[in-house]
Amino acid sequence: MSPRPDHTATAPEASEAREATEALGVPAPPSAPAAPGTPAASAAPSAHPRPGATLAVTSAATAVALMTYTAPMITLPDTAASLHTPLSAQAWLLNGTPLGLAALLLVAGSLADDYGRRRIFLAGTVALGITTALGALAGSTWLFTLARVAQGAASAAILAASLGLLVHAFPAGPGRIRATGIWGAFVSGGIALGPVLAGGIATLANWRLSYVVLGAAALLVAAFAPRALTESRAPHSGRPDLAGALALGLALVALVAALTLGRDGWLRTPVAALLLASAVLIAAFVAVERRSASPMLDLALLRQAPFLASSAGGFFTGFAVIALFSYLPTFLQQTLPMSAMATAVLLMIWSGTSFAVALQTRRLAGKVSPRHQLALGFALHAAAVLTMLTAVDAGPWPLLLPGLVISGAGSGLLNAALPQLAVASVPADRAAMGSGANNTARYIGSAAGVALMIAVSTSTDSLAHGAQVALVVSAALGAAGALSVLALRGRGR
């Protein structure tokens, strides 16, 4: 997929985009000529986007998507008991949504760029409302997991299209940096509110009602979106890359299944077969993308350090940070022990700090590049979780507070820097693809990481000792994330 001019880009905006991209610490994409005989101004699907309304609606939808994602963190014990889910299968209750996200984010980004970001965003928001409400009706582990996968697919459309809509609404420069920072803060805000909402509703009624409420919230956002958003797309449409989406989705299913089954023995034949199948399917995905006229992922970007840094940052955010805090509430409820609501409030200290820090990162623009923000965020997370080792064993819970605050600050830096780098590391007209690739890496890491955290935490005689092992693993992965993004320095395109 070669870089293509955006319908909505004007010459001054292209110049601003180049200057702002270079200010972010990554090389600017090359400019491309407009289509022959087509004036740039007349090519735009909508000449007057509404920046404030676009930011409000995309941020609200993103927050609801992340609230849906994090809701099971607190209610996992109740949900597992209600659905009669064995311990070995509980990873699927958490991994359904990240699996749907990872499998469809790239194709959602491609569809958004080619067929309209507003259109894909609206479809995703409505679908999220319906599938989330249906999750409340599930009567078995597999039905609930399927509903969660569908929620992830709908969330993929929201997340992939949101950054494309923001790029269209905000010219390159400080305004765009501020907008992506606020959008990243609402990622943290959704993570913060999801467990509190689910825990509070579960305390007053039951865990199922929280999904009804979240479904209604998504549909409410969908009702406001048509008037608030304006359409934008890349100039040349392409066919959906269904073969690539199928290969990637099956590869992820095989990988997560292998990690889930691995807790009962990593050398068993089924685990090895699933890992081999995942590797073969990933190779098939690469082969499909090389031959496709409209690939989900332009493989040439894999030779560019900024894109690799964006992808590595997303992957280790999911693998080291999101995975740990997806399962930490269950650790705390079973080892300290704490109630679901108390755990949700404690987790909000982490995610609330993340939200506050992400909002303030705009002050770092021009001083600290997104790549260095990522490295600092990973380093803070690695140091923070090591301070929590004693507390998860025997408590008391106040010993967790310093680590939660420090890791929350690191998470805020990650959530603010990732969308900036995702947009800046791809051609200007492929913003949704950049968002899709970055978030795909994030939720691949999350899906694999949750399964890994459950595997290592249940591999010892004591759950408390298993929690300590999981913290050490998360710290090591955070350090690896910092080193990877520092190593990927881009000098030119």
Side-chain angles (χ1 to χ4, degrees):
M1 182 181 298
S2 59
R4 295 179 289 186
D6 196 346
H7 273 277
T8 60
T10 63
E13 289 174 348
S15 176
E16 291 176 1
R18 183 178 299 276
E19 294 172 1
T21 303
E22 291 172 350
L24 289 173
V26 296
S31 59
T38 306
S42 63
S46 177
H48 302 289
R50 301 171 60 190
T54 300
L55 179 59
V57 169
T58 55
S59 297
T62 298
V64 173
L66 268 296
M67 289 170 69
T68 303
Y69 175 87
T70 58
M73 290 182 182
I74 296 299
T75 60
L76 181 61
D78 290 342
T79 305
S82 175
L83 300 176
H84 306 290
T85 307
L87 181 61
S88 60
Q90 288 184 16
W92 290 107
L93 301 182
L94 292 174
N95 271 344
T97 296
L99 186 60
L101 277 162
L104 291 180
L105 269 163
L106 274 172
V107 71
S110 180
L111 289 172
D113 283 333
D114 289 334
Y115 296 108
R117 294 152 188 155
R118 176 179 178 269
R119 179 180 299 171
I120 298 301
F121 179 89
L122 290 174
T125 309
V126 172
L128 179 63
I130 295 172
T131 56
T132 302
L134 288 176
L137 304 176
S140 68
T141 299
W142 288 110
L143 286 176
F144 183 77
T145 300
L146 288 175
R148 295 284 293 168
V149 171
Q151 291 162 28
S155 298
I158 294 171
L159 295 178
S162 289
L163 279 179
L165 289 165
L166 289 177
V167 167
H168 173 53
F170 288 88
R176 182 179 294 175
I177 294 174
R178 176 178 174 273
T180 55
I182 291 173
W183 184 85
F186 272 83
V187 171
S188 301
I191 293 172
L193 293 177
V196 173
L197 175 68
I201 293 176
T203 301
L204 297 175
N206 61 66
W207 64 271
R208 296 179 184 273
L209 184 59
S210 61
Y211 292 95
V212 175
V213 172
L214 288 170
L219 292 175
L220 182 63
V221 174
F224 284 97
R227 295 177 62 87
L229 304 177
T230 53
E231 189 59 281
S232 64
R233 62 175 64 87
H236 303 296
S237 62
R239 294 181 179 179
D241 186 7
L242 298 181
L246 181 62
L248 180 61
L250 291 176
L252 294 176
V253 170
L255 176 61
V256 173
L259 291 171
T260 303
L261 295 175
R263 63 175 297 273
D264 295 324
W266 293 100
L267 300 179
R268 294 185 302 138
T269 300
V271 176
L274 286 167
L275 289 174
L276 178 61
S278 179
V280 170
L281 286 164
I282 289 174
F285 170 74
V286 172
V288 168
E289 297 307 281
R290 287 184 182 278
R291 292 180 172 86
S292 175
S294 301
M296 290 191 298
L297 178 65
D298 181 358
L299 296 180
L301 289 170
L302 297 176
R303 296 191 295 269
Q304 306 298 332
F307 182 81
L308 291 175
S310 172
S311 300
F315 176 79
F316 280 103
T317 296
F319 205 30
V321 183
I322 297 176
L324 175 67
F325 283 97
S326 293
Y327 201 59
L328 184 64
T330 301
F331 292 156
L332 299 180
Q333 290 179 53
Q334 295 179 1
T335 59
L336 290 187
M338 299 178 67
S339 68
M341 195 59 198
T343 308
V345 173
L346 194 63
L347 188 65
M348 194 171 183
I349 295 173
W350 168 73
S351 49
T353 303
S354 176
F355 177 79
V357 170
L359 281 178
Q360 296 302 315
T361 55
R362 66 183 186 276
R363 303 179 187 277
L364 299 177
K367 303 174 184 177
V368 182
S369 71
R371 187 172 61 87
H372 287 96
Q373 288 183 42
L374 290 178
L376 178 59
F378 284 127
L380 288 174
H381 171 77
V385 295
L386 292 178
T387 70
M388 299 163 63
L389 287 172
T390 302
V392 297
D393 183 14
W397 66 263
L399 292 177
L400 293 168
L401 294 179
L404 291 173
V405 171
I406 296 171
S407 180
S411 178
L413 291 172
L414 296 174
N415 288 335
L418 283 173
Q420 292 182 33
L421 196 55
V423 169
S425 64
V426 297
D429 66 322
R430 307 308 292 174
M433 186 191 73
S435 173
N438 178 270
N439 281 293
T440 296
R442 185 191 306 218
Y443 293 108
I444 287 175
S446 173
V450 166
L452 178 63
M453 292 299 156
I454 293 177
V456 299
S457 66
T458 57
S459 63
T460 64
D461 296 334
S462 165
L463 185 59
H465 182 247
Q468 291 179 316
V469 174
L471 288 173
V472 172
V473 170
S474 179
L477 293 173
L483 293 175
S484 69
V485 296
L486 286 176
L488 293 166
R489 298 179 59 185
R491 292 296 185 182
R493 234 179 151 71

